[in-house]
Every structure is written in structure tokens, then in C-alpha cells.
Amino acid sequence: MSESHYLAGLALAGRRVVVVGGGTVAQRRLPRLVSSGAVVEVISPAATPSVEALAASGAVVWHERSYVDGDLDGAWYVLCCTSDPSVNEAVSAEAERRRVFCVRADAGEAGTAVTPATGDHDGLLVGVLAGGAFRRSATVRDGLLATLRAGAVPVDLDRPHGVALVGGGPGDPDLITVRGRRLLGLADVVVADHLAPAALLEELSPSVTVIDAAKLPYGRAASQDAINALLISHARDGRFVVRLKGGDPYVFGRGFEELLACAAADVPVTVVPGVTSAFGVPAMAGVPVTHRGVAHEVVVVSGHLAPGNPASLVDWTALATLRGTIVLLMAVERIGAIADALLAGGRPQDTPVAIVQEGTTARQRVLKSTLDKAATDITANEVRPPAIIVIGPVAGLQD
Ligand code: SAH
């Protein structure tokens, strides 16, 4: 039973907190103390590299010596985290004398305070005490957080409003961010891209209006205006609108245009980044876009216009002189002209190429080639969009 404790939240900002010991136990406690705004002083002859790093950054003050009586002068709270029982005993004795609450990491019941298993969710701080049974409190904490994250308990009593531009990730529904999924669960209206992970839409409650942006009855040029108008009108009617996009909203996703349109209409709008297909798709197909000693640069390029197209903003000649990784999006139909431009600019013929169609989904296909043969291999294998084309030595690495 934990009835011998009284649960409270301490306002430690600007107050002196002493942590005796600099090992892994102290290391785990420090970040939360620091973010509470406490003036944290660590007393320990030795420290782990992360405790040292916190001291170097100025987040905590590290006294590189053993504890001596008097160290708790002026402290509001003490954490005793050494592995030496006699030191811990001396620290708690001084704390008791000074009437400062003291946590005993080595022997919870010997202290005057205990650290709960804690976790954050959407501005809430959840803490669980189980009378020193750490595994039990941690397990319950994990369960509570999972329940909150699943949206089973309404924690947003102020319902969100306006528009959220949410990156849905490259395709696998598990690759959306925690925030993206939470906002999706609160949506009244979801306006989805054709590349937004379809499985995420299947989870939505039947009361949610789902609009497929690809099927809006407008021509290609007019459709972005139509989407913007739709986001704005639903938001103005008081509905919370999630604009669900594939990958990241700002990587060739026109997300910033939608943000500007909402802002111009005085509709509150936020963006939730996503795992872009440019990096996530190669990763899950076994291709790291950088690798030590192999590629020190990675350039993400839209291939929606062929080299030589006067509207293109891409300097293909400059790209051809790079040694690192080029990740092409929207390039399947123009890979012949693109490969020619890179070869003409000096990129070697045998530069490895990896092509991933519908990456991170059950329909994923991976094709390996070289720069001189990529276009014929893509045609011969009937590769279709959406596909990512990775050009560079990383495409030849074997996992
Ligand atoms: N905002 C998106 C990209 C939109 S442009 C993002 O950050 O991922 C659309 C292009 O993305 C497609 O033509 C294709 O090149 C790429 N793409 C998106 N999802 C993909 C996937 N699952 N597999 C392969 N390529 C993908």
C-alpha cells in the first residue's frame, strides 16, 4: 500500500535541489528536475557522460567531490542517488535535521519522499506511486499513458479547432507521429491526399466526414484552390479539420500553400511534421540515405519536370558533380532524361540506383540497378508511381 505517502506537485522553479551522486540513477532523474526549472546541484566525485554533458551545458551545476555535511544548506529538495549506504544515510540524516524532503534511491522507505513513475501526455503530467514497488508503478504508468494516447479518455476539454496539416508518413499507418494520430482522432473532417496512408482513414469513427482530395470535381490547376476553400469553409463552420498528407506536409506536399491560405483567411492552422517518404521509404527498404565513409550529403529532388524544362528550378549539372546521395521523388516517368543529364554531367555509369515502389506498404517492390541502366530496368519491370529513386553509393550497400 502507498497510503503512507501524500501525493503533491512541487513548484521547484528557481529553488535549490541537491542531487547526491552522478551515476545512472541520478542521470535518469535530472532531465525532469531541470525542466521543472529547479536550480540543480549535483554532488559527486564521478559522473556519467550524460550528467557531465548536462553540467557542461549549464543545465546543472556539478560539484566534483564527495558529499560533506552542510551541502544541503538552502536546499528545498534532495535526491540521494549514490551506491554507498553510509553516504546515503548521512545525507538523509542531514535532510531530516534541516526538514528537507529527501528521496532515497537505494531504499525508498528510508527517505521522506518518493519519486513517482511519471509520464507526459498533452500537457498533463501523470504520476503513479506504488509504495516503492517500481515495476508496478511503471507498468501502471505505461498503461495509463497508452490509454490516454489511444484517446480513450477525453483530455482535450477545449476541443481543437481550425486546421491541422498532418503528415501521415510514407504509407505504413504506424509511421504517423503520436501527435498526428491524436489530432486525427479528434477531427470532424478529414481531407485526405491520395498518398495519405489509407489504413489511417479506416480507423476513423463513422461520424467523421472524410473527403478524398484527389476526387474533387475540378481540373488539376483548380484543385488546390478548391482544397484551400474546403479547409477554410469547414473550419469557419466550427469543425476541426485535419488535412492528412502523405509523408511530410512540407516536402513537395504543397503544405505551406495551404498554411498561407488558412492564415490569410484568419483560420487557425498548425502543422504536424511527418516521416517523409524521401527518407522513410529507402530506410525500410534497407537503404540508408547516408552512411559514414560513403555519403556525406543527401539531396532530395523533385523529378516532376525533366531536365531542360524551362520551368524547372533544379540545377542538374550541379547535382551531377555531387558524390553523395540523390533521392528523387515523382521521377518514374522522367528517369531516362534525368539519368542522361546526370551522366552527361559526370556522374559515373555504374553509380548504384535503388528504386522503391509503394514503400512501407504490403505492395512494396524494390529494384536495384545502375545509373546507365535505370531507365530500361524501370520500364522492363513496369515500375509505377509512387516510387522513390535513390542514386549514389548507398544504394549499393548490402544489409
Ligand atoms: N510529402 C510527401 C511527398 C509528396 S510528392 C512526402 O514527404 O513523402 C509524391 C511523391 O512521393 C511520389 O511521387 C513518390 O515519389 C513519393 N512517395 C510518397 N509515398 C511513397 C511511397 N510509399 N513509396 C514510394 N514513393 C513514395
Side-chain angles (χ1 to χ4, degrees), residues 159 184-190 201-211 234 239-240:
R159 276 190 61 74
L184 195 59
L186 296 169
D188 301 306
V189 178
V190 176
L201 301 175
E202 286 157 22
E203 309 178 348
L204 297 172
S205 117
S207 62
V208 179
T209 309
V210 179
I211 301 166
H234 278 293
R239 297 183 197 101
F240 177 50

Side-chain angles (χ1 to χ4, degrees), residues 70-94:
D71 274 342
L72 307 189
D73 187 24
W76 287 74
Y77 197 57
V78 180
L79 283 88
C80 199
C81 308
T82 85
S83 50
D84 183 336
S86 66
V87 174
N88 294 342
E89 201 50 57
V91 173
S92 11
E94 183 184 351

Side-chain angles (χ1 to χ4, degrees), residues 166-177 195-197 200 244-249 272-277 281 359-360:
V166 174
D172 182 334
D174 263 9
L175 292 175
I176 189 173
T177 63
L195 281 179
L200 289 172
L244 185 66
K245 296 180 155 289
D248 180 276
V272 181
V275 174
T276 178
S277 65
V281 164
T360 81

Side-chain angles (χ1 to χ4, degrees), residues 4-386:
S4 57
H5 288 120
Y6 176 80
L7 198 56
L10 303 182
L12 293 176
R15 307 208 150 109
R16 183 163 192 254
V17 171
V18 175
V19 177
V20 183
T24 53
V25 178
Q27 176 182 318
R28 278 205 300 278
R29 299 285 176 256
L30 287 174
R32 225 171 248 290
L33 286 172
V34 169
S35 59
S36 76
V39 179
V40 182
E41 299 193 27
V42 176
I43 298 169
S44 179
T48 67
S50 21
V51 174
E52 266 185 54
L54 280 175
S57 73
V60 306
V61 174
W62 175 25
H63 301 282
E64 199 173 338
R65 57 166 175 80
S66 299
Y67 159 81
V68 289
D69 194 79
D71 274 342
L72 307 189
D73 187 24
W76 287 74
Y77 197 57
V78 180
L79 283 88
C80 199
C81 308
T82 85
S83 50
D84 183 336
S86 66
V87 174
N88 294 342
E89 201 50 57
V91 173
S92 11
E94 183 184 351
E96 187 76 24
R97 213 170 66 232
R98 292 182 184 271
R99 304 191 176 194
V100 183
F101 283 107
C102 176
V103 175
R104 279 284 293 269
D106 58 329
E109 65 293 347
T112 48
V114 287
T115 307
T118 30
D120 296 286
H121 176 76
D122 191 26
L124 294 172
L125 187 56
V126 174
V128 178
L129 292 180
F134 300 118
R135 291 226 5 223
R136 187 168 180 225
S137 53
T139 304
V140 173
R141 182 259 332 262
D142 292 344
L144 287 172
L145 288 175
T147 308
L148 292 172
R149 285 180 185 141
V153 182
V155 289
D156 292 278
L157 296 180
D158 299 326
R159 276 190 61 74
H161 58 289
V163 174
L165 306 173
V166 174
D172 182 334
D174 263 9
L175 292 175
I176 189 173
T177 63
V178 172
R179 184 182 299 175
R181 188 168 217 138
R182 183 164 60 76
L183 292 183
L184 195 59
L186 296 169
D188 301 306
V189 178
V190 176
V191 182
D193 256 7
H194 75 292
L195 281 179
L200 289 172
L201 301 175
E202 286 157 22
E203 309 178 348
L204 297 172
S205 117
S207 62
V208 179
T209 309
V210 179
I211 301 166
D212 183 345
K215 296 213 178 102
L216 289 179
Y218 300 92
R220 218 174 138 62
S223 63
Q224 188 62 50
D225 291 339
I227 292 169
N228 296 350
L230 198 67
L231 300 177
I232 291 164
S233 70
H234 278 293
R236 282 193 174 146
D237 289 344
R239 297 183 197 101
F240 177 50
V241 184
V242 167
R243 171 73 172 113
L244 185 66
K245 296 180 155 289
D248 180 276
Y250 286 176
V251 179
F252 305 129
R254 306 192 71 167
F256 202 60
E257 292 171 50
E258 295 171 7
L259 179 116
L260 292 176
C262 290
D266 274 332
V267 166
V269 52
T270 60
V271 63
V272 181
V275 174
T276 178
S277 65
F279 295 160
V281 164
M284 294 211 48
V287 177
V289 292
T290 69
H291 187 55
R292 193 162 63 93
V294 175
H296 289 180
E297 67 209 343
V298 50
V299 188
V300 178
V301 183
S302 168
H304 80 291
L305 297 175
N309 185 313
S312 172
L313 299 176
V314 179
D315 186 342
W316 293 100
T317 315
L319 287 181
T321 65
L322 300 180
R323 273 184 294 184
T325 310
I326 299 175
V327 179
L328 295 175
L329 280 71
M330 300 178 277
V332 171
E333 292 96 336
R334 284 156 298 276
I335 184 62
I338 291 170
D340 287 348
L342 294 174
L343 291 167
R347 199 92 200 212
Q349 297 196 330
D350 60 356
T351 303
V353 175
I355 301 112
V356 190
Q357 177 180 330
E358 294 183 80
T360 81
T361 74
R363 297 170 304 280
Q364 170 173 304
R365 290 171 64 202
V366 184
L367 179 66
K368 295 284 180 93
S369 183
T370 50
L371 194 52
D372 54 347
K373 300 197 182 65
T376 34
D377 285 347
I378 282 176
T379 311
N381 288 277
E382 299 186 343
V383 174
R384 304 252 179 278

